[in-house]
């Protein structure tokens, strides 16, 4: 934010016959004004037209000139105060308005999530609208006017002080309904494995993230063939219990720093055996785009680049594998869609008493909302005792995200929305607030910036 204030400007208009003395006219006037950050003082001495009835010119005593000078200094001081006041008023107004718009946008996202949960709960279709842009113009003006009249004859000198201010705001909102292809890609398509890794990497509990994002675990053979599916659905009680135990087991490993959740990184070979010596331009140019030339033992050259592959959840460090092994593992993982997170808990590693190999199948945004809404009444989650190898660990709350439906208004501190005669609010526990935070982050990654959705709805006032 920048702030500028222009300096004071003086202008003096004196008739050609009124140079000396300084005051010769019968009614000199002076005026000072500040507006919108600019201050000016104008001193005008108007020449009195000579006539037969004109009064004799009376020279102003030295005390009167000093009084006039004091008034001019007062005017300058008042203008300086106005400049300072306007600089102190503007930034707080801007700060308050920007933070206000941010708070309103956050509240809209929370209500939109809860509203769609309520819609699914009432077996109604979901609908999302994104606030794609907010543009607001702020104008504030402070005005200070000081005016006076000095008379040549005996009488009272008059002094007028005028202070004023004004402010205006012109906001423009653009909202974009999500439909068609955008709805399919953003709401109905399962999340990618990178989003799962992002939440866990940012400090989210892996069991809480799995319970929210995962539809289940697909158990596979070492070659990737399907064996069975462990569904994260309370209506399938045995599978749901097994899923919860695996999630708690992974959380125990993660708490003990024995779980690795990371994308596979390896050197991809572009040219395996280059017989000639690469030029300096080829070496420098390749280095700038992530390519690396390496001389082999036989004297030929190999061109490689560092590549990030799919995400893997393991009880061993993938970086301990050779580069070729990481490449082969990534090629096997690629047989699964991007909405699958590779899972490999080997029996000879930490926590090997509960080995599992396969993939965590991720939900879409719509499936997550449907799971939460179904858990309100149709298929509520139930408590499961964790199955951990060494010590007990907290498996979290019974419900992944509990939504309370009530007739009376909830605590205003909690995210809530009123729909179809009922209030829907997030349960007031640390676990539920953290789950709703994860859901909000997923909502932001889903909606993001909306582009190419036709003509957005623009509201201005």
């Amino acid at each position: 934010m920048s702030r500028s204030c222009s300096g004071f400007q003086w202008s003096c208009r004196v008739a050609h016959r009124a140079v000396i003395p300084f005051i010769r006219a019968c009614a000199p006037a002076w005026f000072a004004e500040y507006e919108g950050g600019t201050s000016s003082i104008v001193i005008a001495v108007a020449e009195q037209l000579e006539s037969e009835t004109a009064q004799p010119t009376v020279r102003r005593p030295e005390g009167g000139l000093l009084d006039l000078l004091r008034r001019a200094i007062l005017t300058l001081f008042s203008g300086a105060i106005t400049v300072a006041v306007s600089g102190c008023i503007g930034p707080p107004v801007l700060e308050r308005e920007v933070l206000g718009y941010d708070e309103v946008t956050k509240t809209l996202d929370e209500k939109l999530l809860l509203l769609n949960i309520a819609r699914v709960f009432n077996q109604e279709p979901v609908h999302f609208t994104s606030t794609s842009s907010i543009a607001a113009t702020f104008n504030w003006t402070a005005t200070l006017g000081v005016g006076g009249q000095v008379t040549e004859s005996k009488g009272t000198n008059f002094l007028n002080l005028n202070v004023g201010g004004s402010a205006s705001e012109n906001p423009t909102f653009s909202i974009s309904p999500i439909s068609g292809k955008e709805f399919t890609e953003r709401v109905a398509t399962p999340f990618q494995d990178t989003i799962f890794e992002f939440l866990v990497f940012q400090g989210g509990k892996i069991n809480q993230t799995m319970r929210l994002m995962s539809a289940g675990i697909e158990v596979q053979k070492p070659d990737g063939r399907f064996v069975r599916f462990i569904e994260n659905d309370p209506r399938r009680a045995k599978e749901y219990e097994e899923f919860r135990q695996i999630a708690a087991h992974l959380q125990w490993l993660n708490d003990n720093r024995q779980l690795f959740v990371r994308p596979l990184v390896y050197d991809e070979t572009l040219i395996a055996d280059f017989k000639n010596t690469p030029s300096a331009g080829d070496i420098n140019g390749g280095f700038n785009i992530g390519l690396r030339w390496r001389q082999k033992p036989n004297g030929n050259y190999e061109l490689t680049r560092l590549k990030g592959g799919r995400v893997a959840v393991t009880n061993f460090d993938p970086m301990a594998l050779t580069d070729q092994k990481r490449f082969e593992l990534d090629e096997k993982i690629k047989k699964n869609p991007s909405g699958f997170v590779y899972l490999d808990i080997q029996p000879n590693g930490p926590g090997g008493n509960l080995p599992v190999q396969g993939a965590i199948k991720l939900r879409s945004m719509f499936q997550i909302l449907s799971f939460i809404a179904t858990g309100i009444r149709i298929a509520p989650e139930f408590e499961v005792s964790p199955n951990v190898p060494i010590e007990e660990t907290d498996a979290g709350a019974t419900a992944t995200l509990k939504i309370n439906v009530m007739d009376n208004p909830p605590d205003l501190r909690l995210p809530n929305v009123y729909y179809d005669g009922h209030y829907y609010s997030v349960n007031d526990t640390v676990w539920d607030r953290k789950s709703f935070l994860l859901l909000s982050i997923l909502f932001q990654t889903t909606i993001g910036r909306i582009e190419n959705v036709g003509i957005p709805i623009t509201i201005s006032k």
Side-chain angles (χ1 to χ4, degrees):
M1 179 183 299
S2 62
R3 186 183 352 174
S4 62
C5 298
S6 59
F8 294 101
Q9 300 177 350
W10 290 79
S11 62
C12 182
R13 296 181 298 166
V14 183
H16 67 282
R17 296 172 54 189
V19 179
I20 299 177
F22 177 73
I23 301 176
R24 182 177 180 181
C26 65
W30 50 274
F31 182 73
E33 182 176 347
Y34 167 80
E35 183 170 358
T38 303
S39 299
S40 62
I41 295 180
V42 179
I43 298 179
V45 181
E47 180 185 13
Q48 179 183 357
L49 298 177
E50 295 181 358
S51 64
E52 295 179 358
T53 60
Q55 297 295 329
T57 301
V58 180
R59 294 183 178 274
R60 186 80 175 177
E62 183 178 357
L65 292 175
L66 293 177
D67 181 64
L68 180 61
L69 181 60
R70 284 195 297 269
R71 293 174 184 270
I73 293 175
L74 176 62
T75 301
L76 288 173
F77 182 69
S78 301
I81 292 176
T82 306
V83 173
V85 169
S86 66
C88 295
I89 292 177
V93 171
L94 182 61
E95 178 184 4
R96 182 173 62 252
E97 296 299 330
V98 170
L99 293 179
Y101 281 121
D102 183 77
E103 183 66 24
V104 169
T105 303
K106 180 185 78 71
T107 303
L108 286 175
D109 289 342
E110 293 175 350
K111 290 185 178 296
L112 192 58
L113 282 172
L114 290 172
L115 178 60
N116 280 286
I117 292 174
R119 287 169 175 165
V120 177
F121 176 73
N122 289 276
Q123 298 180 351
E124 298 176 3
V126 298
H127 188 271
F128 292 90
T129 302
S130 172
T131 305
S132 57
S133 66
I134 299 177
T137 303
F138 302 93
N139 296 311
W140 55 84
T141 302
T143 303
L144 174 66
V146 180
Q149 182 178 2
V150 181
T151 60
E152 289 294 336
S153 59
K154 294 182 179 181
T156 303
N157 296 337
F158 296 98
L159 178 64
N160 299 321
L161 176 64
N162 298 317
V163 180
S166 63
S168 63
E169 175 186 357
N170 301 306
T172 300
F173 307 89
S174 295
I175 59 177
S176 303
I178 302 175
S179 59
K181 182 180 179 181
E182 290 288 335
F183 183 88
T184 302
E185 294 179 350
R186 298 174 181 269
V187 180
T189 301
F191 287 98
Q192 296 184 358
D193 56 357
T194 54
I195 302 298
F196 179 88
E197 185 267 339
F198 167 77
L199 291 180
V200 177
F201 181 79
Q202 295 296 323
K205 290 187 175 182
I206 189 170
N207 67 328
Q208 193 170 18
T209 305
M210 284 181 62
R211 291 176 61 182
L212 185 66
M213 292 188 66
S214 174
I217 298 174
E218 183 177 291
V219 181
Q220 301 172 351
K221 292 184 177 181
D223 59 358
R225 288 183 295 171
F226 174 82
V227 177
R228 64 189 181 97
F229 189 71
I230 307 172
E231 189 171 2
N232 179 21
D233 189 343
R235 288 171 289 193
R236 298 180 180 270
K238 292 184 178 181
E239 294 181 3
Y240 176 74
E241 289 181 4
E242 186 177 3
F243 176 87
R244 288 280 300 271
Q245 290 173 353
I246 294 175
H249 186 69
L250 295 179
Q251 183 62 49
W252 179 86
L253 286 172
N254 193 48
D255 292 340
N256 288 274
R257 303 294 190 270
Q258 294 176 331
L259 189 72
F260 297 86
V261 184
R262 62 177 54 173
L264 297 174
V265 180
Y266 56 91
D267 284 326
E268 181 183 21
T269 302
L270 301 179
I271 300 178
D273 197 24
F274 189 69
K275 297 181 180 180
N276 298 326
T277 302
S279 64
D282 292 336
I283 296 175
N284 293 331
F287 180 79
N288 294 332
I289 59 176
L291 304 181
R292 182 170 60 177
W293 289 94
R294 181 185 304 168
Q295 190 173 20
K296 300 171 65 176
N298 61 0
N300 296 337
Y301 289 84
E302 179 185 42
L303 179 62
T304 62
R305 66 177 175 185
L306 192 64
K307 184 177 180 180
R310 296 287 295 274
V311 176
V313 179
T314 63
N315 62 342
F316 60 90
D317 187 2
M319 296 305 295
L321 302 175
T322 63
D323 197 72
Q324 182 62 27
K325 289 291 185 180
R326 289 195 300 272
F327 170 77
E328 293 175 356
L329 179 59
D330 186 65
E331 290 297 312
K332 185 181 79 170
I333 297 175
K334 286 180 180 179
K335 296 178 182 179
N336 291 323
S338 60
F340 282 67
V341 182
Y342 180 74
L343 176 63
D344 187 7
I345 304 299
Q346 296 185 353
N348 57 349
N353 63 317
L354 187 61
V356 58
Q357 187 176 52
I360 303 171
K361 183 181 179 181
L362 301 181
R363 295 184 172 119
S364 65
M365 190 67 193
F366 173 75
Q367 289 175 317
I368 293 177
L369 297 180
S370 180
F371 173 74
I372 296 172
T374 304
I376 296 177
R377 184 175 302 166
I378 298 176
E381 298 181 76
F382 53 86
E383 187 175 356
V384 176
S385 299
N387 183 16
V388 292
I390 297 178
E391 61 184 53
E392 292 291 331
T393 184
D394 184 10
T398 300
T400 303
L401 173 57
K402 185 178 180 181
I403 302 297
N404 295 322
V405 182
M406 58 189 69
D407 298 329
N408 299 322
D411 190 340
L412 296 179
R413 296 179 297 107
L414 301 173
N416 67 88
V417 69
Y418 182 77
Y419 180 74
D420 196 23
H422 297 87
Y423 291 93
Y424 295 79
S425 65
V426 177
N427 194 39
D428 190 13
T429 65
V430 176
W431 173 274
D432 292 300
R433 288 196 297 268
K434 182 63 178 295
S435 294
F436 191 74
L437 174 61
L438 294 176
L439 182 63
S440 300
I441 296 174
L442 291 174
F443 177 72
Q444 293 297 327
T445 60
T446 299
I447 303 303
R449 182 175 179 84
I450 304 299
E451 298 177 350
N452 302 323
V453 293
I455 301 176
I457 302 173
T458 303
I459 304 173
S460 61
K461 67 173 186 176

